[in-house]
Amino acid sequence: MALFVPKDRKSLFRQFLAGMYDAVVITDPNGYIIEINARAVEHFGYEQDDVIDKHVSLYIPGLAAEVVQRIRKGLEGDRHVLIDANGQTKDGGKIACEVAVSFIDLVNPGDLVFTIRNVERRREMMNRYRTKSNAFQLSPTALFGCDRDGNIRECNSAFLEMFGIENIDEARTHVFSDFMCDEPLSENFKKALEGETTVTGIVAENDGEDGEEIEITLAPNSHGRKVNGVVGSILKV
């Protein structure tokens, strides 16, 4: 039977670094670089030979020597410190980063590990979400979203105004049928849960006056193939 021969620690450590999703920069206690992983090369453009003995501020300009020392003091009471920062690539580009700093005894006691996560994609997604959210609220068309049981989960200001509701918390105490019980809307709600989009015109009754014509669109609120609920719009024609 073949004997299991463990690899040396240095080899295992390098394999671990190579497999990390985040950029990893290991420094001495003063912030001077000892080791980096492949993701750090990918993110910042510097090869390892370019950065050995350079200060970590090469990657994160905000991490000047005095800042690193303040972080070290903060680490004495905590297992890690988490900071938001802007990284800088070799070609001068900027990267939004989330940096976790912790201790490691690699070459010297008190060496530092900077685990750097590129959050550009997350920030871009959040900006897109805010843009969509703002557009949702500013739309003059009443917009809403329900779960599969018809409970109102989201709605905009136009929806609140249309139905005389004070705020979103009050709206969430209602269900779809509280506002839209006319046929064929209940049937259209079921169709939306099955993946179909419907557009229906109805006449809303007003006290002693001609009714208003309203166009109601219902559509599935999908995530991949799963329908999580129904979204809709109510437009006065």
Side-chain angles (χ1 to χ4, degrees):
M1 182 176 67
L3 294 176
F4 171 71
V5 180
K7 295 185 177 181
D8 64 86
R9 287 188 167 207
K10 190 171 184 179
S11 174
L12 288 172
F13 176 72
R14 288 184 179 278
Q15 287 185 49
F16 173 75
L17 281 186
M20 290 284 287
Y21 173 78
D22 299 316
V24 176
V25 179
I26 300 174
T27 75
D28 70 13
N30 296 310
Y32 289 92
I33 298 170
I34 298 170
E35 185 90 35
I36 65 173
N37 70 346
R39 189 55 67 98
V41 176
E42 180 183 327
H43 281 349
F44 294 97
Y46 293 99
E47 296 294 334
Q48 176 150 317
D49 290 345
D50 298 331
V51 299
I52 296 302
D53 294 332
K54 300 286 178 60
H55 198 267
V56 68
S57 58
L58 179 71
Y59 291 120
I60 312 292
L63 294 179
E66 60 273 16
V67 177
V68 171
Q69 292 309 312
R70 288 202 297 271
I71 290 172
R72 281 184 54 78
K73 290 181 180 179
L75 285 172
E76 292 173 2
D78 294 298
R79 297 180 65 181
H80 70 273
V81 171
L82 190 65
I83 57 176
D84 290 320
N86 288 314
Q88 183 169 298
T89 64
K90 185 176 182 179
D91 61 9
K94 303 293 184 182
I95 302 175
C97 297
E98 187 178 82
V99 184
V101 191
S102 56
F103 284 129
I104 185 174
D105 291 337
L106 183 64
V107 177
N108 312 285
D111 287 340
L112 300 171
V113 180
F114 295 82
T115 304
I116 306 169
R117 175 159 295 183
N118 184 337
V119 294
E120 283 289 334
R121 183 180 178 188
R122 184 198 305 171
R123 182 174 291 183
E124 182 181 350
M125 289 177 66
M126 286 301 298
N127 287 337
R128 288 180 182 176
Y129 172 79
R130 291 190 188 99
T131 299
K132 290 179 180 179
S133 179
N134 290 336
F136 177 80
Q137 288 300 334
L138 290 173
S139 173
T141 301
L143 304 173
F144 64 94
C146 306
D147 63 18
R148 293 186 61 88
D149 295 322
N151 300 297
I152 301 293
R153 293 305 182 199
E154 296 295 338
C155 64
N156 66 353
S157 299
F159 183 94
L160 297 177
E161 183 179 349
M162 176 176 285
F163 293 102
I165 303 172
E166 185 175 351
N167 53 45
I168 182 64
D169 290 330
E170 182 183 345
R172 286 172 178 157
T173 66
H174 291 277
V175 295
F176 173 82
S177 58
D178 290 343
F179 306 114
M180 288 160 276
C181 57
D182 299 301
E183 291 301 336
L185 296 179
S186 60
E187 187 62 31
N188 288 353
F189 189 92
K190 295 176 183 177
K191 290 179 179 179
L193 291 177
E194 294 171 355
E196 183 178 343
T197 297
T198 59
V199 180
T200 303
I202 65 172
V203 177
E205 296 181 359
N206 289 330
D207 295 336
E209 299 179 6
D210 292 336
E212 290 183 302
E213 188 176 349
I214 294 176
E215 183 179 272
I216 300 175
T217 302
L218 299 179
N221 182 19
S222 303
H223 182 72
R225 294 185 177 182
K226 183 178 180 181
V227 177
N228 297 317
V230 174
V231 291
S233 66
I234 309 170
L235 176 65
K236 293 181 180 179
V237 180

